[in-house]
């Protein structure tokens, strides 16, 4: 989404580090010299060790740490407007009570408690996201997160004015939560999961939002698309007026892995799968699941080679990516069932020379969480591949989860990828992703950061909860697997299409934002929105936001399309159904049920 001037986008139209400690134990050592007479053989590399220090950009606090506020302010001063910078930080708070803090979060900054429950770590104060850096416009407040903390806001209300890729997970707000910036400027978010807000959630100017498996006191209003699943206290189903889509439960969910401390030891907790989920996982003491010691993880630092990361994976270690930017010259290969790849502080993987950044085999129970994939200047066929193209195994008992894994093509520099994310394994759960072909920053242009397809789902029985996919040259989402389900979808078509011919799809005007394959016989989706802002050529017409075969088993609930200020138009909502958008009015055109 977004931009800073009317000429390049619609956002304004609408709207330091801790001291390093010794090097991580377990970095690769050179292969031993060949033995005499065996000049053509080398010993295998020495086994890598797990565990070690989390590095200089993970700041760990306890209640006795002096100068916490000063450290928080230092990080924020560096990251507040560093939208495409290289700084990455994780701010971790050990269990206990902290008083008088205001943790303002800038780009690529994560804050989290280190208890098993959010209530183990209580901040009497705030975790704040506002938009002063962008003149009160919150539509570019990307790439930051808050997890596993209890907050007692200083004035009774915590402000979390975010856009995409800014999850609020496992949080307990003992008061109200305001999702808008100061002055109620434009905002375009967002995502809450496994959280309890005792008071009222006020989205105010937020255009869309998805809340999953949480407990809220009340919800104030809605602009275009507010979606809830498994939320106690959610408003009743009423789309399109107010625009609430409410599911009593979430069909299947498994919360994101998280770091915590047990005594003096770091461990990673792996929450259990829930079926028909409703409410938080942590309300009655220790959550269900298992945990792993840090010694089972290869603790990676920026600069490590892809070969070393693959050696760690091959020998059975999980990966913990500490904050920073990682360049890989070969795909990271997750071939072992149950592998965890967990990023801290928006650890970012950049594929070099057109490789695929990460490939997962057709195995059970892989957990990918908390990192950013940033396309390189040489075109990659895919950036993330979950399962090979012929994947077919049943993973219903132990699915792979892709959570807070974000994709960016362009913005920080020219990037290209034909397909961003290919989901081939059955039963995969994609829980909160923002897959973004950049519309602003550097390396941006219709051909400069070419990216035809966002998310392609080939696997059967895939579930997406919180799917944000924007600005691709052709289809943003293509769904070919059977029995797929999506709860909440947010999309903008590419702003920068030069003319109608550039987006012509055979005889069809434009590529749908969300396309279900012609051979699919069963698919269901709830709460989907697509917006157009064709600012290069406002005369462009898009036939529909959504396209699907018309048969009883393919069902959609609560759809909308919007022309932002009349920059381009939709003729229909889905297929040939739904009224056209209304000139310059920025009024949604809706379909409540299809077919």
């Amino acid at each position: 989404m977004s931009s800073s001037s009317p000429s390049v986008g619609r956002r304004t139209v609408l709207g330091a580090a801790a001291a390093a400690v010794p090097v991580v134990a377990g970095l690769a050592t050179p292969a031993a010299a060949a033995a005499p007479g065996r000049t053509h053989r080398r010993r295998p590399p020495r086994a890598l060790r797990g565990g070690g220090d989390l590095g200089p950009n993970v700041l760990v606090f306890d209640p006795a740490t002096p100068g916490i506020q000063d450290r928080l302010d230092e990080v924020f001063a560096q990251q507040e407007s560093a939208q495409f910078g290289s700084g990455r930080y994780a701010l971790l708070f050990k269990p206990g009570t902290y008083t008088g803090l205001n943790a303002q979060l800038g780009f690529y900054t994560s804050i989290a408690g280190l208890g098993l429950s959010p209530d183990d770590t209580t901040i009497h104060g705030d975790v704040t996201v506002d938009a002063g850096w962008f003149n009160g416009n919150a539509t570019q407040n990307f790439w930051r997160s808050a997890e596993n903390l209890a907050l007692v806001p200083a004035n009774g209300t915590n402000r979390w004015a975010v856009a995409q890729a800014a999850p609020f997970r496992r949080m307990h707000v003992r008061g109200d939560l305001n999702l808008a910036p100061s002055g109620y400027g434009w905002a375009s978010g967002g995502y809450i999961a496994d959280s309890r807000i005792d008071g009222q959630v006020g989205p105010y100017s937020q255009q869309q939002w998805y809340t999953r498996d949480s407990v809220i006191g009340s919800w104030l209003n809605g602009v275009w698309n507010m979606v809830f699943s498994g939320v106690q206290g959610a408003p009743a189903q009423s789309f399109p007026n107010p625009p609430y889509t409410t599911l009593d439960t979430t069909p299947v969910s498994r919360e994101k892995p998280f770091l915590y401390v047990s005594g003096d030891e770091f461990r990673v907790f792996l929450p259990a799968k829930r079926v028909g989920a409703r409410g938080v996982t942590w309300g009655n003491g220790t959550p269900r699941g298992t945990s792993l010691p840090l010694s089972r993880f290869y603790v990676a630092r920026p600069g490590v080679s892809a070969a070393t990361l693959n050696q760690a994976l091959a020998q059975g270690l999980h990966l913990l990516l500490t904050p920073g930017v990682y360049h890989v010259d070969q795909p990271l290969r997750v071939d072992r069932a149950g592998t965890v790849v967990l990023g801290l502080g928006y650890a970012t993987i950049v594929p070099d020379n057109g490789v695929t950044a990460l490939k997962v085999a057709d195995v059970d129970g892989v957990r990918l969480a908390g990192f950013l994939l940033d396309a390189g200047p040489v075109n990659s066929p895919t950036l993330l591949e979950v399962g090979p193209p012929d994947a077919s195994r049943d993973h219903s008992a132990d699915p792979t989860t892709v959570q807070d894994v974000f994709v960016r093509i362009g913005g920080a520099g020219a990037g290209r990828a034909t397909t961003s994310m290919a989901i081939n394994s059955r039963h995969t759960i994609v829980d909160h992703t923002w897959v973004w072909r950049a519309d602003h920053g550097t390396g941006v242009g219709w051909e400069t950061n070419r990216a035809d397809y966002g998310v392609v789902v080939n696997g059967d029985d895939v579930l997406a909860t919180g799917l944000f996919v924007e600005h691709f040259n052709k289809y943003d989402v293509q769904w070919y697997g059977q029995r797929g389900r999506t709860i909440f979808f947010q999309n903008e078509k590419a702003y920068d299409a030069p003319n109608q011919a550039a987006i012509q799809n055979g005889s069809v005007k434009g590529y749908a934002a969300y396309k279900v394959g012609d051979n699919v016989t069963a698919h269901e989706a709830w709460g989907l929105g697509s917006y157009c802002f064709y600012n290069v050529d406002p005369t462009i017409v898009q036939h529909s936001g959504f396209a699907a075969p018309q048969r009883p088993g393919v069902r959609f609930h609560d759809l909308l399309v919007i022309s932002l200020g009349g920059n381009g138009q939709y003729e229909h909502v889905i297929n040939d159904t739904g009224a056209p958008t209304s000139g310059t009015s920025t009024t949604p055109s809706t379909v409540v049920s299809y077919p």
Side-chain angles (χ1 to χ4, degrees):
M1 304 253 321
S2 80
S3 109
S4 57
S5 73
S7 64
V8 293
R10 65 104 178 163
R11 297 270 181 183
T12 12
V13 175
L14 293 177
V21 294
V23 173
V24 179
L27 289 179
T29 56
R38 304 286 294 275
T39 55
H40 298 292
R41 298 185 63 186
R42 290 180 179 271
R43 294 177 184 172
R46 183 175 299 171
L48 300 170
R49 292 173 56 191
D53 181 72
L54 298 181
N57 286 11
V58 176
L59 281 58
V60 181
F61 304 107
D62 65 45
T65 302
I68 296 176
Q69 187 65 57
D70 289 342
R71 301 303 295 280
L72 298 176
D73 291 346
E74 288 171 10
V75 173
F76 179 64
Q78 177 180 319
Q79 299 301 117
E80 180 183 10
S81 58
Q83 181 171 182
F84 298 111
S86 60
R88 304 286 189 274
Y89 290 92
L91 313 173
L92 305 181
F93 287 75
K94 290 184 177 179
T97 301
Y98 301 79
T99 302
L101 297 181
N102 181 18
Q104 300 182 80
L105 300 187
F107 288 97
Y108 315 109
T109 305
S110 298
I111 188 170
L114 289 171
L116 271 178
S117 165
D119 289 329
D120 293 341
T121 309
T122 300
I123 293 177
H124 289 261
D126 297 271
V127 171
T128 300
V129 179
D130 207 343
W133 74 279
F134 201 45
N135 300 314
N137 179 347
T139 60
Q140 292 185 26
N141 283 347
F142 313 135
W143 304 307
R144 63 202 76 197
S145 66
E147 298 185 53
N148 206 29
L149 292 165
L151 303 177
V152 183
N155 69 354
T157 302
N158 189 77
R159 186 181 303 279
W160 185 255
V162 298
Q164 287 79 3
F168 197 79
R169 289 185 180 269
R170 290 177 59 80
M171 295 290 287
H172 185 186
V173 180
R174 299 178 190 165
D176 298 332
L177 184 64
N178 184 339
L179 304 179
S182 300
Y184 303 99
W186 300 306
S188 181
Y191 176 90
I192 292 171
D194 200 23
S195 294
R196 180 184 296 271
I197 293 53
D198 291 348
Q200 182 178 76
V201 180
Y204 300 105
S205 55
Q206 279 288 356
Q207 295 159 3
Q208 68 280 315
W209 201 275
Y210 175 50
T211 307
R212 179 181 62 72
D213 300 352
S214 294
V215 181
I216 61 175
S218 60
W219 189 274
L220 180 63
N221 72 298
V223 177
W224 292 336
N225 191 30
M226 302 288 157
V227 180
F228 309 83
S229 68
V231 178
Q232 298 175 25
Q237 169 73 33
S238 58
F239 185 89
N241 187 25
Y244 298 148
T245 298
T246 303
L247 286 73
D248 190 56
T249 61
T250 303
V252 186
S253 64
R254 189 174 69 190
E255 299 302 330
K256 175 178 173 286
F258 61 91
L259 199 65
Y260 74 105
V261 291
S262 178
D264 294 328
E265 177 190 27
F266 281 112
R267 298 182 68 89
V268 173
F269 192 82
L270 308 178
K273 186 186 78 170
R274 295 200 292 171
V275 176
R278 181 171 170 84
V280 299
T281 64
W282 46 270
N284 297 311
T286 303
R288 290 191 307 114
T290 58
S291 74
L292 296 168
L294 200 62
S295 61
R296 296 278 304 278
F297 286 78
Y298 179 74
V299 179
R301 298 276 197 97
V304 67
S305 70
T308 298
L309 295 173
N310 278 327
Q311 182 191 342
L313 289 166
Q315 73 179 48
L317 291 172
H318 307 276
L319 290 186
L320 185 72
L321 304 174
T322 65
V325 179
Y326 297 75
H327 283 264
V328 297
D329 59 0
Q330 58 182 268
L332 302 183
R333 296 187 179 275
V334 177
D335 295 329
R336 180 175 52 90
T339 299
V340 179
V341 180
L342 177 62
L344 300 179
Y346 284 82
T348 300
I349 303 171
V350 181
D352 293 333
N353 303 319
V355 302
T356 295
L358 197 157
K359 293 187 175 186
V360 180
D362 194 16
V363 295
D364 278 352
V366 172
R367 304 182 194 228
L368 309 178
F371 54 88
L372 173 64
L373 301 174
D374 200 356
V378 179
N379 186 75
S380 294
T382 57
L383 295 175
L384 172 63
E385 182 183 273
V386 179
D390 60 351
S392 60
R393 294 179 55 190
D394 186 318
H395 302 294
S396 55
D398 191 7
T400 285
T401 45
V402 180
Q403 300 178 283
D404 301 349
V405 173
F406 307 117
V407 174
R408 178 173 67 200
I409 300 174
R416 297 168 68 91
T418 303
T419 298
S420 290
M421 187 181 293
I423 307 297
N424 300 319
S425 287
R426 294 181 62 193
H427 302 100
T428 300
I429 300 171
V430 181
D431 176 45
H432 190 227
T433 188
W434 184 40
V435 181
W436 184 58
R437 176 182 166 265
D439 61 279
H440 65 278
T442 59
V444 171
W446 184 249
E447 296 294 344
T448 307
N449 62 329
R450 183 81 194 189
D452 283 351
Y453 309 113
V455 176
V456 178
V457 179
N458 297 309
D460 295 341
D461 307 290
V462 170
L463 171 66
T465 51
L467 187 59
F468 299 74
V469 188
E470 299 190 292
H471 303 157
F472 286 84
N473 294 77
K474 293 185 178 179
Y475 289 114
D476 298 278
V477 172
Q478 294 168 283
W479 206 299
Y480 299 112
Q482 299 289 353
R483 298 176 300 280
R485 292 175 292 185
T486 294
I487 304 172
F488 181 90
F489 171 69
Q490 186 266 328
N491 165 264
E492 284 181 347
K493 296 303 299 173
Y495 298 166
D496 55 345
N499 48 50
Q500 185 76 43
I503 65 160
Q504 192 69 16
N505 180 15
S507 62
V508 180
K509 298 173 184 175
Y511 292 82
Y514 187 109
K515 163 70 172 175
V516 178
D518 293 341
N519 294 325
V520 173
T521 58
H523 186 91
E524 193 162 12
W526 298 260
L528 292 79
S530 177
Y531 321 149
C532 73
F533 186 75
Y534 287 117
N535 64 324
V536 175
D537 181 358
T539 68
I540 289 175
V541 175
Q542 176 90 20
H543 178 72
S544 64
F546 306 92
Q550 187 165 356
R551 51 177 60 106
V554 178
R555 296 175 291 171
F556 288 81
H557 313 272
D558 300 358
L559 301 163
L560 66 129
V561 296
I562 303 170
S563 168
L564 302 174
N567 290 271
Q569 300 290 342
Y570 294 90
E571 291 180 327
H572 301 285
V573 179
I574 179 168
N575 295 344
D576 298 324
T577 299
T581 48
S582 307
T584 60
S585 68
T586 312
T587 300
S589 181
T590 62
V591 167
V592 174
S593 182
Y594 183 88

